[in-house]
Every structure is written in C-alpha cells, then in structure tokens.
Amino acid sequence: MVIEKIGLKEDACFSLFEKKDEWERCLEPDEKPVDVMASWDKEKDKKKSTEEYMFMFKKKIFLKDDDREMEDPAAKDLIYKQAQHSVISSEYPCTVDDAIRLAGLQFQIVYGDHNPQFHVPKFLLPSLKDFVPKTLFSLKKPNEWEALILAKHETLVGKDPEDAKSEYLNIVKQWAYYGTTFYPPCKSVGNKLPSKYVIIGINYEGIRLLKKNKDLISEHLFTEICSWASSSGTFAFEFGNQNESQKYTFETKQGAIIASTIQTYIDILVQMLKNGEDEDDESESTTTTQSDG
C-alpha cells in the first residue's frame, strides 16, 4: 500500500520498520501493521511507557550497484531523505567541509535558488539544526554556520533540485560508512576488544565493530565469517578459516534483527553470484553455437 501510494517502482531493497525510541526492527513479510499497533497499546498500558512508537518505510539493503533505484524518482527521494537523516543525526561521521557542502545542497533542494531578498542573515537560524550534523553543531556559533551555508548555497544558482539530490548522494556514497546499518551499543562478552561497549554495523561487505564514537575496531568480510547466531538477549558470530577461527559474543536485544539482516545480504549476494554464473554459461553457449555455425 505504501509502495503504491508513493509511486515506488524499485522497491526490492525497501521495508517497513517498527521504531521505539532508539530501537527499531524490520517487520516480517506476513506481519500486519495493525497487529503491531495493538501490541504498542498493550505495552503502553502494561508498562505505563512514555516511549515513542512509529513506523518508518526506508531502505533496508544497500548494494554497490543502485543505478536502477537512482532512475526511479520515488526511490531516489527516499534514499536522499534517509541519507540526509543519517548525516544530520551524525549516524554517518562527517567533516566540517562536507557538512557545509551538504547543507548548501540541502538548502538548494528545500528553498531553490539563492534569493538576496529573503536568504539573508537569521533566515536559517530557526531551522539550523536541521542542516548541521549533531556532533558538529557546537564547533561553530550558529551565525557562523549560517553564513557558511548561505555562501555555499549562493554558488549553486541554477542547479536543479534533482541534480542537487544526486550530488548530495554522490558525496555521501564515498564515505566508508554509507549504507551501513548501525545497531545500538551492546556489551562485549568475553571478547578481547579495546572497548567494553561496541556498535555493530552491517553492510553488503560484512560486519563492522566500532567504538561508541564510531572509530573502527575491526572489520569482518562475509567471506571470512563462518557462522552467526542469536537469542533473545545475545548475538554472536565466528570468523576465520577452517584451520583457525575466533568467536565474538555480545549482549543485545537486537540479536535476531542483526542475524536477519546478515542472512538477507548473504541470500542476495548468493543470488547475484548465481545470476552472474548463469549469464556466463549463456554467453559461453552463444559463443559455442556461433563457432559451430
């Protein structure tokens, strides 16, 4: 229903998510939102909870090749908005220079070309936090941020909003953490890691372990991951080779979601590999037929 309403054509990598404060999970294909909402009401009554509950429709799987999505205006807009949220919330670490470039492009998308009558000092101040990454905001005074963003925006006169979205995404896609799904910090259990609490990140390449400040601890490609498992309160994975392997275990309520995301990536990558082999077989068959002719 959501897909039809927004006119999304390239929907394969998008899903509906349930979100409660910082916790979120992807709904299963057979789950009905109305049933999930009923569980929210029961939980609120039982715990007298003040948590915020909501649904989010967003991109779940990020693959290296997303050309078809970029050609679908609805998909491109969703990906842009999701990237923008990840930048402003500092989910993706960002430099000051990149923050200014991105804010200028965002301003162009929202307000169009620079207008010297309206885009003057104090114009952006009321909504400045919607344009500057959270962890960078305190590095400059609000009027300094505004002046830099307005100056950048003034250089973008004539740029079409769709082109501005493309440029915004092209910048963000160069970052190491783009397309990584991060899960809330979880406790490391019996692991020889430099940090007691670790952020687990999953992308199309594998698993990343990071400190709370997003500094990388270690990276584990899917090709070296031997197995993974989850329970209601833990997530674990084993990596290495047939001769030597190591296991990491973490305390987290998101274990099943992390495991499900890994499985989804594995299934897609296996299917892509199979499709590539099928295409190679067809190509060889065609070459052989032409040679016989």
Side-chain angles (χ1 to χ4, degrees):
M1 187 174 177
V2 175
I3 293 170
E4 294 175 0
K5 189 172 182 178
I6 64 176
L8 182 65
K9 296 174 183 174
E10 296 297 327
D11 63 335
C13 294
F14 291 85
S15 293
L16 188 63
F17 286 74
E18 170 192 13
K19 182 174 175 63
K20 305 175 188 176
D21 290 336
E22 290 188 1
W23 180 90
E24 65 179 55
R25 73 176 183 92
C26 178
L27 267 64
E28 296 296 332
D30 59 346
E31 277 190 284
K32 296 179 180 179
V34 66
D35 293 335
V36 176
M37 291 173 72
S39 72
W40 294 349
D41 292 336
K42 289 180 181 177
E43 193 169 324
K44 285 180 180 179
D45 292 339
K46 185 177 180 181
K47 298 182 178 179
K48 294 186 172 18
S49 174
T50 59
E51 287 182 315
E52 291 186 11
Y53 299 78
M54 68 175 72
F55 288 116
M56 298 185 302
F57 184 75
K58 65 177 187 175
K59 191 169 169 67
K60 177 187 178 184
I61 300 298
F62 292 79
L63 301 175
K64 197 168 185 178
D65 180 8
D66 65 353
D67 291 345
R68 291 179 63 178
E69 289 177 344
M70 290 298 98
E71 292 171 2
D72 178 353
K76 180 180 174 181
D77 185 60
L78 285 172
I79 295 168
Y80 160 71
K81 287 176 179 174
Q82 192 168 334
Q84 179 199 319
H85 177 268
S86 295
V87 170
I88 301 305
S89 65
S90 291
E91 184 179 10
Y92 294 160
C94 177
T95 65
V96 169
D97 286 345
D98 275 347
I100 294 167
R101 290 172 66 197
L102 294 173
L105 289 164
Q106 184 182 339
F107 198 109
Q108 181 72 9
I109 293 163
V110 175
Y111 296 108
D113 284 343
H114 176 74
N115 186 326
Q117 287 184 308
F118 298 105
H119 303 151
V120 295
K122 296 187 179 179
F123 174 85
L124 189 59
L125 289 183
S127 57
L128 189 61
K129 288 189 175 181
D130 295 331
F131 287 78
V132 180
K134 182 172 65 175
T135 57
L136 300 182
F137 194 84
S138 62
L139 298 183
K140 296 182 184 295
K141 294 178 180 178
N143 62 314
E144 291 176 333
W145 277 117
E146 183 188 49
L148 290 167
I149 294 169
L150 288 175
K152 180 61 182 176
H153 174 242
E154 195 170 353
T155 69
L156 301 175
V157 171
K159 184 175 285 292
D160 181 82
E162 289 302 312
D163 292 338
K165 286 180 187 177
S166 297
E167 187 173 337
Y168 190 106
L169 287 170
N170 287 339
I171 293 170
V172 177
K173 285 178 181 179
Q174 301 306 310
W175 298 350
Y177 295 154
Y178 175 75
T180 300
T181 301
F182 297 105
Y183 296 92
C186 53
K187 187 177 179 181
S188 174
V189 182
N191 308 319
K192 293 181 180 179
L193 293 171
S195 182
K196 184 177 180 181
Y197 287 90
V198 173
I199 292 174
I200 297 175
I202 310 294
N203 65 13
Y204 71 91
E205 292 180 316
I207 300 173
R208 286 174 169 164
L209 303 180
L210 307 99
K211 296 179 181 178
K212 283 185 177 181
N213 64 359
K214 294 288 175 71
D215 283 350
L216 185 66
I217 296 173
S218 61
E219 196 169 16
H220 308 277
L221 301 178
F222 285 134
T223 51
E224 66 179 57
I225 294 174
C226 310
S227 63
W228 62 91
S230 67
S231 69
S232 60
T234 64
F235 169 74
F237 71 95
E238 190 174 358
F239 61 95
N241 53 50
Q242 291 181 336
N243 299 321
E244 185 179 359
S245 64
Q246 189 174 348
K247 185 178 181 179
Y248 283 157
T249 302
F250 306 92
E251 288 182 2
T252 173
K253 292 180 179 179
Q254 305 241 11
I257 302 167
I258 297 171
S260 174
T261 302
I262 292 172
Q263 188 62 58
T264 301
Y265 272 113
I266 293 293
D267 290 344
I268 290 173
L269 293 170
V270 168
Q271 187 60 48
M272 288 172 66
L273 186 63
K274 183 178 182 300
N275 291 344
E277 290 175 349
D278 290 344
E279 288 176 5
D280 289 342
D281 290 342
E282 288 179 12
S283 178
E284 289 178 10
S285 175
T286 303
T287 303
T288 303
T289 302
Q290 289 175 344
S291 299
D292 292 343

